[in-house]
Amino acid sequence: MTPPRHIAIIMDGNGRWARERGLPRIRGHEEGAESVRAVLRACGEAGVEFLTVYAFSTENWKRPEAEVAALMGLLEHFLKQETPELMAQNVRLQAIGRITDLPEACQRELHRAIETTAKNTGVTLILALSYSGRIEIIDGLRSLVRAVREGHIDEAMIDPEMFSQHLYTRSFPDPDLLIRTSGEMRISNFLLWQMSYTEIYVTPKLWPDFRKEELLEALRDYSQRQRRYGGV
Ligand code: IPE
Ligand code: IPE
Ligand code: MG
């Protein structure tokens, strides 16, 4: 059984992990960053080509200012500190979402890390930052309308393949497997268009507790699935 080409993860449960230990929520996020490192490495070993992680949703801006600031600080720190490791592992970094919503310092580090790793040929790690599936679809629609208005395409040519080319994910395949940690059975505005035939795996494990073993378990589960795409 071939491994999934593309895994998408809703990394949930950092706050609960911290609360269970009487720690501040940010400690849960720090421990969650450790899980990203472990899962990325395991994906490389398993032959997964693309890993998209939901790091911050558009809705997450509603959280208390102190938590948002701490998350942005953690992101900046991760990007700075992790680039040599990404290089060593041959990982190419990419990002999806409204990147211009992020603080300047984060944007700078992000663009620097993306440029530095651009020629790597191993796993592509895609960070979903200030990401919303609905906003992505709206942004795609705007781009499509502009292309029609400027005469680049004819309205009659619009089909799902063409629309996909106007999304943030235009150069990535659709996810084969979605993993959501901490037991919640919902999509939370993640990759709405791209997940029409994605296999879903939900685990009660909290994200900071999701490491290599847990990923391998998800891969084993995936290998038992029968993907029919509406056929027989
Ligand atoms: C996921 O953990 C990380 C982000 C959404 C940034 P949460 O912070 O949502 O953790 P819970 O759901 O409160 O446990
Ligand atoms: C989803 O987690 C978003 C990220 C993992 C970044 P949330 O904790 O924000 O989602 P809900 O509120 O449980 O739907
Ligand atoms: Mg949550």
Side-chain angles (χ1 to χ4, degrees), residues 3 19 27 38-39 43 59-60 66-67 71 78 89 95 108 126 143 157 160 164 215-216 230:
R19 196 180 55 214
R27 277 290 299 119
V39 167
C43 279
E59 289 74 22
N60 290 149
E67 182 169 347
L71 279 167
F78 180 88
Q89 285 183 47
R108 232 183 356 257
I126 304 155
S143 152
M157 290 157 54
S164 296
L215 179 82
L216 294 178

Side-chain angles (χ1 to χ4, degrees), residues 11-17 25 29 55-56 60 63 67 71 182:
M11 312 185 286
D12 200 14
N14 296 351
R16 274 162 278 181
W17 183 92
R25 290 177 60 85
H29 297 312
F56 196 86
N60 290 149
R63 293 189 178 197
E67 182 169 347
L71 279 167
S182 80

Side-chain angles (χ1 to χ4, degrees), residues 10-12 16 54-57 60 63 180 184 186 188:
I10 301 177
M11 312 185 286
D12 200 14
R16 274 162 278 181
Y54 206 179
F56 196 86
S57 75
N60 290 149
R63 293 189 178 197
R180 182 164 187 151
E184 240 73 68
R186 53 177 175 260
S188 299

Side-chain angles (χ1 to χ4, degrees), residues 147-209:
V148 171
R149 203 188 299 126
E150 290 171 0
H152 302 306
I153 55 171
D154 191 273
E155 196 186 314
M157 290 157 54
I158 299 173
D159 63 7
E161 283 65 40
M162 177 178 287
F163 188 60
S164 296
Q165 289 307 308
H166 289 261
L167 297 173
Y168 307 147
T169 51
R170 65 182 71 81
S171 42
F172 316 128
D174 286 345
D176 300 291
L177 174 64
L178 169 73
I179 297 172
R180 182 164 187 151
T181 56
S182 80
E184 240 73 68
M185 301 279 188
R186 53 177 175 260
I187 300 289
S188 299
N189 212 355
F190 195 36
L191 300 172
L192 298 178
W193 170 271
Q194 295 85 347
M195 295 212 287
S196 55
Y197 271 101
T198 300
E199 296 293 325
I200 299 176
Y201 177 86
V202 177
T203 167
K205 285 264 176 180
L206 306 175
W207 176 247
D209 293 325

